[in-house]
Amino acid sequence: MATLPFSATCGQSKSASHPKFDSRFTDFYRRLNHSSLFLITTSSSRMARNLCVKNVASNKKQQVKETTRDTTGEAFVPDSASIASSIKYRAEFTPSFSPEKFELSKAFFATAQSVRDILIINWNATYDYYEKMNVKQAYYMSMEYLQGRALLNAIGNLQLSGPYAEALKRLGINLENVANQEPDAALGNGGLGRLASCFLDSLATLNYPAWGYGLRYKYGLFKQRITKEGQEEAAESWLEMGNPWEIARNDVSYPVKFYGEVISGPNGNKEWVGGENIWAIAYDVPTPGYKTKTTINLRLWSTKVSPEEFDLKAFNAGDHAKAYAAMKNAEKICYILYPGDESIEGKTLRLKQQYTLCSASLQDIIARFEKRSGNTVNWDNFPDKVVVQMNDTHPTLCIPELIRILIDVKGLSWEEAWAITRRTVAYTNHTVLPEALEKWNLKLLEELLPRHVEIIRMIDEELVQEIIAEYGTDDLELLQQKFKKMRILENIELPNSVADLLNSLNEKSDVISTEEVDEKSDIVDSTEEVDANDGEDTIKKTKGTFEVDPKLPMMVRMANLCVVGGFSVNGVAEIHSKIVKDEVFNEFYELWPEKFQNKTNGVTPRRWIRFCNPDLSNIITKWIGTEDWVTDLEKLAVLRKFANDENLQLEWREAKRRNKIKVASYLIEKTGYVVSPDAMFDVQVKRIHEYKRQLLNIMGIVYRYKKMKEMSSEERKKKFVPRVCIFGGKAFATYVQAKRIVKFITDVGATVNNDPEIGDLLKVVFVPDYNVSVAEMLIPGSELSQHISTAGMEASGTSNMKFSMNGCILIGTLDGANVEIREEVGEDNFFLFGARAHEITGLRKERAEGKFVPDPRFEEVKAFVRSGVFGPYNYEELMGSLEGNEGYGRADYFLVGKDFPSYLECQEMVDEAYQDQKRWTRMSILNTAGSYKFSSDRTIHEYARDIWRIEPVLLP
């Protein structure tokens, strides 16, 4: 059977025997097992291999059996009858469900497993070939993978959508209904995880040798419920029925240690002993490329302890909590994505998660490298075969962990390990927000990972020496400023060797400066032309203070560690990368300009047009004349020459309306609100955060509603275009202000949607539990999409790309990828408002000085909200955050009030444009036509060429 190559022996079983067993299933699996690679093309090869993904953690040699392929010499393409038989077999012989029932949930599980059986053939062959060729491989390290549902994506990439639909029809079931049974994999939250999943899709489609690493979260972030109290959180249950896509690798596990102490051996070698020991267990998920044999792997780690850790004596004595404390302590590491970190326990758990990802993954990578190297391992070649990409700062501990393994386990010197690490690890920065540029308390980190803190201190010392070598010691104040901004260790004493040097220089500068003052005094006496302050200035230029402040915490700056330890640092949009170089890491950029790059994000056009919007995809293919655009998105530009064609515009509008009807149906089901598909669908869906400014959007809606209420029925119908304003996104559980914003949106919706005077002219709907599957339905039906973050604060954004690809027009600031989208789709096809990034600092300074004068319309809205029109909830804290000139949680840090008048005026332009449907449709077409730059295929090509230095590997 197809799954058997993953067993310990890679053996092959005999055919199943059962009275209900369909002979077509036997043929399906026989041919599948004898087919080396599955693809909808023929192959001239006559031989195939029954392949295994081997346990590289084991030293045991495993045999790879040769088998003769099917006598036709062609790759096996299953038809609907054989697929139906395989589904029936899986339904009968998979023990996850009762045998007497064949309900939708069971049908999904059986269908998914039958697809996985097909994927395994290419999956095994892909990595067998990579090992045989010993290619350089990229390893993508991310705390999040927001994949969405996998079934339709997998059969779409395999070009089997039709046969699977027909097979399920034979069984009396609809493919769409089966697909809807699949829960979204709860492995991510926002753009970081969605980007990682898009990258895996592109890596497989473009045939790049790569592997993803993450954690297998049992409960995800949380399931969001919207009640009259606002957002409520519940545990996500995506694994409750099992995951048919994953393969548990119980024979692939690595030890991970916490706490303990570091002891020195007689030769100066270090050993980390004692402490808490757990095991990371591998779960593998196949990721198929589109129209290619390549199927790459996402390896997720789960955590446990050995059975010996269960305290049987305590259990029998009745102390059950003590008996399984070690087990629960290990398992909880992979319970929740981003556990709350307000407490020490929460912070510790987050650090454990990050270290588990880094340690288990690097042990696995090194095991694979050693296996491929054979009998002779040359560690100098490690960076020529391995590149590790850290997706944000969460995997920063990869740097000290790689050094630890190389020195303490593999016996390399510090110099060798440091040089190898700096050639192996690369860093993607995803934010300019200070709170997201992670810092960890030194005491906490030292207690949990004592050996790593030793290594981080050594890296910091290397950095300090490099700074001194670059800037010299003539100007100690300059040196102090560089240390303050660049050091990995914040508010921590300098290394002894450096401190002694600088203290001696300080003492010397005191003497020299005093002598200079005396000399200048003599000159003053004779010339009377030198300012008396010149001597003091001389002292300031030469003398620096390198003491720590006992009132401030001692911290480890993870982003600085990434920059120092990595060979490449990239931002994710042009404006973001410029801010990274000019502001966030300017001192590092001046020291190492060659490290810094831009890699504008992208999204996969397979999931985000081809599969989620088939109506639009068919129109694109018809007018372009080829379906090649699915893997070569530049072909979308051909649509530009048809943008004014009335026939295309008619088809375009009809497709959009069909998608809007689907959205309207979904909103009734999930929220109870009835909306008209004739209204403009205005959407803002993303993580709820103050800088993303959902508050600006809803306050604009409140202003619109107030103006409507002040008009007669005839006046408001003439003035306003009907709108359905849709929100979606999760506020982090402990982010109080974000949760207030969710509550505010839902309260406005409850009032507006039940106002008979307004009717269909305005609706406000908050979609609960926003995820990838919801996005796949909402985005094709959207007409206006809001990307209105405070300029300079959004690194890139990827939802803006998805909306634009699907012919949705954007309203937004010049922030993140909005800048490049506007350039590509044309300024006339993007609604722009708001302050520019370079103005933000000055505007905040102006506010602090009490010079900001709010627009009367803004004050009007705040007063309207405070009047209680939207219910009894007290919105004083929310409105108060937009007032005052300084203070935490006040002074409108995100400039909602500043941009409010510009936003209102821009929305008037939106209404005007929408009233001219021919103009609007043209804008929509040009958005799709101009979105080609924002394919993740383009992004991955750039990563592969400029950072990873890997080449596509085509399987024979």
Side-chain angles (χ1 to χ4, degrees), residues 824-897:
E824 297 297 329
V825 306
E827 295 180 6
D828 293 339
N829 305 305
F830 184 106
F831 294 105
L832 177 67
F833 76 95
R836 306 307 193 248
H838 68 273
E839 300 173 323
I840 301 302
T841 301
L843 290 170
R844 287 183 179 139
K845 184 174 183 292
E846 179 184 89
R847 180 72 180 241
E849 294 170 352
K851 297 178 181 178
F852 172 67
V853 179
D855 187 274
R857 292 168 292 183
F858 188 60
E859 297 300 288
E860 184 182 348
V861 168
K862 288 191 295 179
F864 190 54
V865 172
R866 283 173 164 141
S867 72
V869 68
F870 299 116
Y873 185 85
N874 185 357
Y875 282 107
E876 188 56 41
E877 290 286 345
L878 188 60
M879 295 299 104
S881 71
L882 305 172
E883 299 173 335
N885 297 322
E886 58 185 353
Y888 179 76
R890 293 183 64 80
D892 193 11
Y893 184 78
F894 300 99
L895 305 183
V896 174

Side-chain angles (χ1 to χ4, degrees), residues 113 140 149 206 220 260 262 356 417 456 502 586 632 687 748 896:
Q113 286 198 320
Y140 201 76
R149 293 169 173 165
L206 301 174
V262 180
T356 298
I456 290 170
L502 296 180
N586 178 251
D632 182 7
R687 179 166 49 94
V748 172
V896 174

Side-chain angles (χ1 to χ4, degrees), residues 274-519:
E276 176 184 309
N277 298 287
I278 67 165
W279 288 90
I281 313 300
Y283 285 75
D284 287 349
V285 181
T287 303
Y290 180 75
K291 289 187 176 181
T292 178
K293 303 170 185 178
T294 302
T295 302
I296 66 173
N297 192 33
L298 170 60
R299 176 157 284 181
L300 303 172
W301 301 106
S302 188
T303 47
K304 69 176 187 178
V305 293
S306 63
E308 289 78 10
E309 296 291 336
F310 180 75
D311 191 337
L312 187 60
K313 183 177 180 181
F315 190 85
N316 287 329
D319 194 347
H320 298 160
K322 179 183 177 183
Y324 54 72
M327 298 172 65
K328 292 298 182 185
N329 207 32
E331 290 172 0
K332 73 181 181 182
I333 292 173
C334 291
Y335 274 175
I336 299 292
L337 168 66
Y338 302 141
D341 61 353
E342 300 296 312
S343 64
I344 291 296
E345 292 79 10
K347 289 180 172 66
T348 302
L349 186 56
R350 281 209 189 187
L351 262 177
K352 282 186 171 184
Q353 287 184 330
Q354 294 183 4
Y355 179 61
T356 298
L357 170 64
C358 295
S359 181
S361 302
L362 282 170
Q363 289 181 73
D364 197 44
I365 290 167
I366 288 171
R368 301 184 69 81
F369 170 75
E370 290 179 316
K371 184 177 184 302
R372 292 182 184 185
S373 298
N375 296 327
T376 304
V377 178
N378 183 349
W379 289 104
D380 286 340
N381 291 339
F382 188 76
D384 299 325
K385 297 297 181 181
V386 169
V387 58
V388 175
Q389 186 71 42
M390 300 183 296
N391 193 29
D392 216 351
T393 54
H394 308 126
T396 304
L397 289 168
C398 280
I399 294 169
E401 174 66 359
L402 179 55
I403 294 171
R404 182 193 71 83
I405 294 173
L406 292 176
I407 295 176
D408 297 356
V409 180
K410 303 303 176 182
L412 275 65
S413 67
W414 161 258
E415 291 76 15
E416 291 171 323
W418 179 227
I420 289 169
T421 301
R422 294 188 85 179
R423 292 170 54 210
T424 301
V425 179
Y427 164 53
T428 298
N429 173 271
H430 281 280
T431 185
V432 300
L433 296 175
E435 65 267 26
L437 295 171
E438 291 183 297
K439 295 181 183 180
W440 289 102
N441 184 279
L442 177 69
K443 183 179 179 181
L444 172 63
L445 194 60
E446 198 164 29
E447 181 182 0
L448 189 70
L449 302 169
R451 178 60 175 141
H452 296 77
V453 170
E454 287 187 352
I455 292 170
I456 290 170
R457 287 184 181 275
M458 295 170 73
I459 296 172
D460 184 68
E461 184 171 359
E462 290 278 350
L463 172 64
V464 168
Q465 296 287 4
E466 196 157 351
I467 293 171
I468 292 173
E470 176 69 18
Y471 296 102
T473 56
D474 291 341
D475 190 337
L476 298 186
E477 187 173 332
L478 172 65
L479 209 55
Q480 180 188 1
Q481 291 172 358
K482 295 295 181 184
F483 290 164
K484 185 175 181 180
K485 293 181 178 180
M486 298 176 70
R487 284 190 66 195
I488 297 162
L489 303 177
E490 180 180 81
N491 196 41
I492 296 172
E493 68 282 352
L494 286 164
N496 291 336
S497 59
V498 177
D500 292 343
L501 169 65
L502 296 180
N503 287 333
S504 66
L505 290 171
N506 254 332
E507 293 171 3
K508 185 177 179 181
S509 74
D510 283 340
V511 175
I512 294 173
S513 299
T514 303
E515 291 174 352
E516 288 178 351
V517 170
D518 292 340
E519 291 174 3

Side-chain angles (χ1 to χ4, degrees), residues 721-759:
V721 166
R723 286 207 198 191
V724 177
C725 301
I726 301 171
F727 293 83
K730 295 179 180 180
F732 192 66
T734 58
Y735 191 174
V736 176
Q737 191 74 330
K739 294 178 77 169
R740 287 191 185 116
I741 293 170
V742 174
K743 171 65 174 166
F744 184 32
I745 294 168
T746 58
D747 280 354
V748 172
T751 300
V752 172
N753 299 346
N754 292 294
D755 190 330
E757 290 185 357
I758 302 303

Side-chain angles (χ1 to χ4, degrees), residues 57-323:
S58 171
N59 292 324
K60 293 181 179 179
K61 301 250 183 174
Q62 299 189 30
Q63 298 298 316
V64 180
K65 297 182 179 180
E66 296 285 351
T67 62
T68 304
R69 76 152 51 239
D70 204 10
T71 55
T72 61
E74 297 182 351
F76 169 49
V77 181
D79 58 18
S80 60
S82 59
I83 288 173
S85 297
S86 72
I87 293 172
K88 287 167 65 178
Y89 173 81
R90 280 296 178 191
E92 188 165 352
F93 289 94
T94 299
S96 301
F97 297 87
S98 301
E100 67 273 10
K101 298 179 181 179
F102 189 65
E103 296 173 342
L104 282 175
S105 56
K106 183 176 182 178
F108 158 67
F109 210 95
T111 302
Q113 286 198 320
S114 77
V115 177
R116 189 192 67 181
D117 291 340
I118 296 171
L119 294 179
I120 283 172
I121 300 298
N122 283 1
W123 191 20
N124 283 340
T126 298
Y127 284 98
D128 181 78
Y129 192 66
Y130 290 172
E131 287 199 13
K132 177 182 176 182
M133 301 304 294
N134 195 18
V135 295
K136 183 178 184 180
Q137 189 163 321
Y139 296 94
Y140 201 76
M141 209 84 71
S142 179
M143 288 291 285
E144 293 188 44
Y145 289 91
L146 198 58
Q147 295 174 292
R149 293 169 173 165
L151 178 59
L152 294 182
N153 194 75
I155 63 175
N157 278 1
L158 289 169
Q159 300 290 280
L160 285 177
S161 299
Y164 263 90
E166 179 62 30
L168 287 167
K169 187 177 179 182
R170 284 170 174 261
L171 300 175
I173 300 174
N174 179 273
L175 172 60
E176 184 177 353
N177 292 338
V178 170
N180 286 338
Q181 293 296 307
E182 181 174 7
D184 277 39
L187 299 171
N189 176 40
L192 185 79
R194 185 56 243 163
L195 179 76
S197 293
C198 283
F199 279 4
L200 292 186
D201 178 271
S202 287
L203 283 163
T205 298
L206 301 174
N207 302 297
Y208 282 113
W211 196 303
Y213 282 106
L215 295 181
R216 182 179 177 267
Y217 303 107
K218 186 174 183 179
Y219 300 116
L221 185 71
F222 58 81
K223 181 182 285 292
Q224 182 192 52
R225 294 172 181 161
I226 301 299
T227 70
K228 63 180 181 179
E229 304 301 324
Q231 172 182 294
E232 293 183 358
E233 302 88 24
E236 179 62 72
S237 57
W238 75 287
L239 286 174
E240 185 177 7
M241 302 297 287
N243 180 5
W245 302 106
E246 68 184 13
I247 302 288
R249 305 291 190 203
N250 293 315
D251 58 339
V252 180
S253 60
Y254 297 97
V256 178
K257 181 186 293 293
F258 306 109
Y259 304 110
E261 61 179 342
V262 180
I263 59 175
S264 298
N267 300 323
N269 58 308
K270 297 293 184 75
E271 185 180 1
W272 183 15
V273 298
E276 176 184 309
N277 298 287
I278 67 165
W279 288 90
I281 313 300
Y283 285 75
D284 287 349
V285 181
T287 303
Y290 180 75
K291 289 187 176 181
T292 178
K293 303 170 185 178
T294 302
T295 302
I296 66 173
N297 192 33
L298 170 60
R299 176 157 284 181
L300 303 172
W301 301 106
S302 188
T303 47
K304 69 176 187 178
V305 293
S306 63
E308 289 78 10
E309 296 291 336
F310 180 75
D311 191 337
L312 187 60
K313 183 177 180 181
F315 190 85
N316 287 329
D319 194 347
H320 298 160
K322 179 183 177 183

Side-chain angles (χ1 to χ4, degrees), residues 138 140 195-210 296 389 428 570 597-606 933-952:
Y140 201 76
L195 179 76
S197 293
C198 283
F199 279 4
L200 292 186
D201 178 271
S202 287
L203 283 163
T205 298
L206 301 174
N207 302 297
Y208 282 113
I296 66 173
Q389 186 71 42
T428 298
N570 72 278
Q597 302 186 33
N598 174 59
K599 295 288 171 279
T600 297
N601 282 343
V603 299
T604 167
R606 269 75 63 186
K933 176 180 177 180
F934 305 103
S935 167
S936 53
D937 295 350
R938 186 265 315 151
T939 313
I940 285 300
H941 274 311
E942 293 180 5
Y943 271 97
R945 180 192 66 212
D946 302 333
I947 298 178
W948 302 336
R949 307 295 171 89
I950 60 175
E951 298 290 336

